Amino acid sequence: CNCKTMAARRRLRLALAVVATGWCAGEPDAMAVLLGAATAPPPAPPLGGGAEVTTLDWNGVDPVTDKRYAEGYAEVLEFRGFSTGALCAKVDRKAPINGHTWCPDNATYPIWGGKGGKFPDPQTAQCWIDSIHAFHDGKVDNAPGTQVWVSSSCGTPPDPTSLEWNKNYDWRFSGKRPQDTEHGKLWPQIAAFIEGKVQKANGKKVVVYAHSGGTITAYAFLMSQTEAWRKQNILAYMPVVPVFGGTIASVQAIVSGWNQYGLDKCIGRQAALLIPSLLWMWPRLGHPADKFLWNDTQAIVNASGDLYTAKTLEKMLDDMGLTETAALLRVEKADLLDTFKAPLVDTYALYGYGVPTLTGLEIDIKLTPENFGTGGLGGEPCPTAKSKELKDPDDAGDGIGPLRSTARASQWSDVHKAAGVVNWNMGYQGMKHCEFCTPQSKADHECLLALFGGKALPSGCNLFKR
């Protein structure tokens, strides 16, 4: 046994020895799984008077001195996080899906209520699972004979040919679908909406605000437009608790079940198998020196000795017998979040760190079709394997996203500086996966809105001096 092998085994033993700790009551169920650490940012000195500890990575481009926001903004456009928007469906199928007969014809009903919404009981769950699934044959779309739209009332379905944007989006399809299907008009709708706002405001630009999974949806939209379009229409991009490198919760949803907002975890798992946005958020593979991603030696799942890394997660799905899920992952995974090019618009990111975040999963059985599979088409067994969740303090992010993912906006710093573009990446120690849920983050949000609005900054604002 050579020294390199011994060192690798020692690192693995240390990673497996991390003790899992429990979640606080009432916190979101964030089930993350990875082994391997990122380097935590050094905490800044406490602000005077025992205030919060914050960490600022700013590239030095000063928007105050050059008064670039003097004219203010037209509107703050918001991209909400995944699973927060209510969804409705209307079913008119010529034939049952995969032999299922749960759904009545011409029925209109809610399929996702967001936080506080109701979910089906196991006796009537198959209709719901079929309706919320994505289907793909090289392109990704709704289930056959199923129209889905964003609404909390489930009244009359919208005109599917309309290009008018209602400031919402179907969070299930936040990866490829807006770009590659015949119904994928989301990006043109948003672009037309923004252009209208800018024109109506006599050239004032729009601030793009995004939260959680909405941060990568907003980024995908911005990068779908030309650099010239972004400079003409976007004043600033403000991602809050971003998930730029992926989350591990999405992997856990497939392996052990998904109980978002109290959803039965076994029913939730069957749904999660074919929801594109969950697969779009799987951890991203980077090179060994990339501190913001996972490399091909850091195991994400340890299944009775079988180690799966960011490079072999697709193989894990094949080993589980989830062929349809693996095919959908292949559609979703190779995209702009891999290259993560700088958006070249002023960026102000706010993220949390230092919150215990799940960073490893050990399972006591092999991932076989008998235990986990049947193709991802419904009827999969509910996993009963015992699992141990690990938390690495060096990758403690906001309780949902590991630090390497939440702090990834720092990757744009040099490119933005060379172009004269602001890159302001502020970390708040102890801030969980929520919107401005600490006093300092709330104060900074108010300061940023005043800054973008061309107004005098409120007393005490020190956005660029930490």
Side-chain angles (χ1 to χ4, degrees):
C1 181
N2 61 38
C3 294
K4 290 184 178 179
T5 301
M6 292 176 65
R9 289 178 178 175
R10 184 161 56 250
R11 287 194 298 270
L12 178 59
R13 286 197 302 271
L14 289 172
L16 296 179
V18 177
V19 178
T21 59
W23 286 101
C24 297
E27 283 302 306
D29 179 41
M31 297 175 289
V33 285
L34 69 99
L35 300 177
T39 301
L47 301 176
E52 296 171 41
V53 175
T54 58
T55 299
L56 175 60
D57 181 11
W58 171 44
N59 68 355
V61 176
D62 185 357
V64 177
T65 301
D66 64 17
K67 300 180 180 180
R68 65 179 63 188
Y69 309 135
E71 295 182 358
Y73 56 84
E75 183 170 321
V76 176
L77 187 62
E78 188 174 7
F79 287 76
R80 304 301 304 169
F82 293 171
S83 79
T84 58
L87 301 175
C88 298
K90 183 177 181 180
V91 174
D92 185 14
R93 295 175 183 153
K94 295 180 180 179
I97 295 176
N98 303 320
H100 305 152
T101 57
W102 284 106
C103 286
D105 288 338
N106 296 310
T108 299
Y109 53 90
I111 59 171
W112 192 267
K115 190 172 184 178
K118 296 181 179 180
F119 295 104
D121 61 62
Q123 297 301 314
T124 59
Q126 194 60 62
C127 173
W128 176 78
I129 293 169
D130 288 340
S131 299
I132 205 168
H133 270 176
F135 283 69
H136 63 96
D137 54 0
K139 294 182 177 181
V140 182
D141 215 328
N142 291 321
T146 307
Q147 182 182 357
V148 178
W149 66 98
V150 181
S151 175
S152 58
S153 61
C154 294
T156 303
D159 179 359
T161 65
S162 174
L163 279 175
E164 184 178 354
W165 189 47
N166 64 358
K167 299 177 72 172
N168 287 302
Y169 67 96
D170 186 339
W171 53 268
R172 301 173 304 149
F173 295 107
S174 294
K176 287 286 187 179
R177 184 190 188 231
Q179 304 167 66
D180 73 353
T181 74
E182 59 179 320
H183 300 116
K185 302 183 179 71
L186 181 60
W187 295 163
Q189 287 179 4
I190 298 175
F193 180 90
I194 291 175
E195 290 165 8
K197 290 293 182 181
V198 172
Q199 183 178 10
K200 188 175 180 179
N202 296 319
K204 291 182 180 179
K205 303 176 185 180
V206 166
V207 174
V208 173
Y209 165 82
H211 175 259
S212 188
T215 60
I216 53 178
T217 300
Y219 172 72
F221 163 70
L222 290 173
M223 300 308 288
S224 73
Q225 307 300 305
T226 65
E227 181 182 341
W229 186 95
R230 296 194 297 271
K231 290 181 178 179
Q232 182 176 350
N233 294 283
I234 306 301
L235 185 72
Y237 169 43
M238 183 165 57
V240 178
V241 290
V243 287
F244 287 136
T247 73
I248 320 302
S250 49
V251 177
Q252 180 81 339
I254 301 296
V255 173
S256 299
W258 192 39
N259 60 348
Q260 181 82 345
Y261 300 146
L263 176 65
D264 177 90
K265 76 169 189 175
C266 297
I267 295 174
R269 177 177 184 260
Q270 290 188 52
L273 292 174
L274 292 176
I275 293 180
S277 61
L278 289 177
L279 297 172
W280 193 39
M281 291 177 68
W282 276 31
R284 297 281 165 166
L285 176 65
H287 56 77
D290 190 341
K291 66 179 180 179
F292 296 115
L293 295 177
W294 289 261
N295 63 44
D296 60 3
T297 66
Q298 296 168 324
I300 290 171
V301 177
N302 177 0
S304 191
D306 292 339
L307 303 181
Y308 297 96
T309 70
K311 186 176 182 178
T312 58
L313 286 176
E314 185 179 321
K315 179 182 182 300
M316 181 187 77
L317 294 174
D318 288 331
D319 289 349
M320 296 168 76
L322 300 174
T323 55
E324 290 294 312
T325 308
L328 185 57
L329 177 63
R330 284 191 288 272
V331 171
E332 291 292 327
K333 71 175 184 177
D335 73 347
L336 48 81
L337 288 177
D338 287 340
T339 56
F340 204 56
K341 294 182 179 180
L344 293 173
V345 294
D346 287 357
T347 298
Y348 296 81
L350 297 84
Y351 67 94
Y353 71 94
V355 178
T357 302
L358 295 176
T359 56
L361 183 69
E362 297 177 19
I363 302 173
D364 65 350
I365 60 175
K366 302 288 186 180
L367 302 183
T368 63
E370 293 76 17
N371 295 322
F372 293 92
T374 72
L377 298 175
E380 285 74 18
C382 184
T384 58
K386 294 181 180 179
S387 62
K388 179 181 179 181
E389 297 170 349
L390 308 175
K391 297 181 181 181
D392 186 341
D394 287 334
D395 207 13
D398 60 17
I400 298 290
L403 177 61
R404 69 184 78 193
S405 177
T406 63
R408 196 183 180 193
S410 287
Q411 186 173 319
W412 300 329
S413 186
D414 291 342
V415 174
H416 275 189
K417 184 173 184 177
V421 174
V422 176
N423 208 81
W424 184 94
N425 196 23
M426 181 70 81
Y428 301 86
Q429 189 177 52
M431 187 172 82
K432 298 177 182 177
H433 196 80
C434 48
E435 294 179 88
F436 315 120
C437 51
T438 67
Q440 188 64 58
S441 63
K442 183 177 180 180
D444 286 348
H445 175 232
E446 294 173 355
C447 292
L448 287 171
L449 290 181
L451 177 67
F452 300 151
K455 302 176 183 178
L457 296 182
S459 176
C461 286
N462 58 345
L463 293 171
F464 304 98
K465 297 178 181 179
R466 295 289 168 90

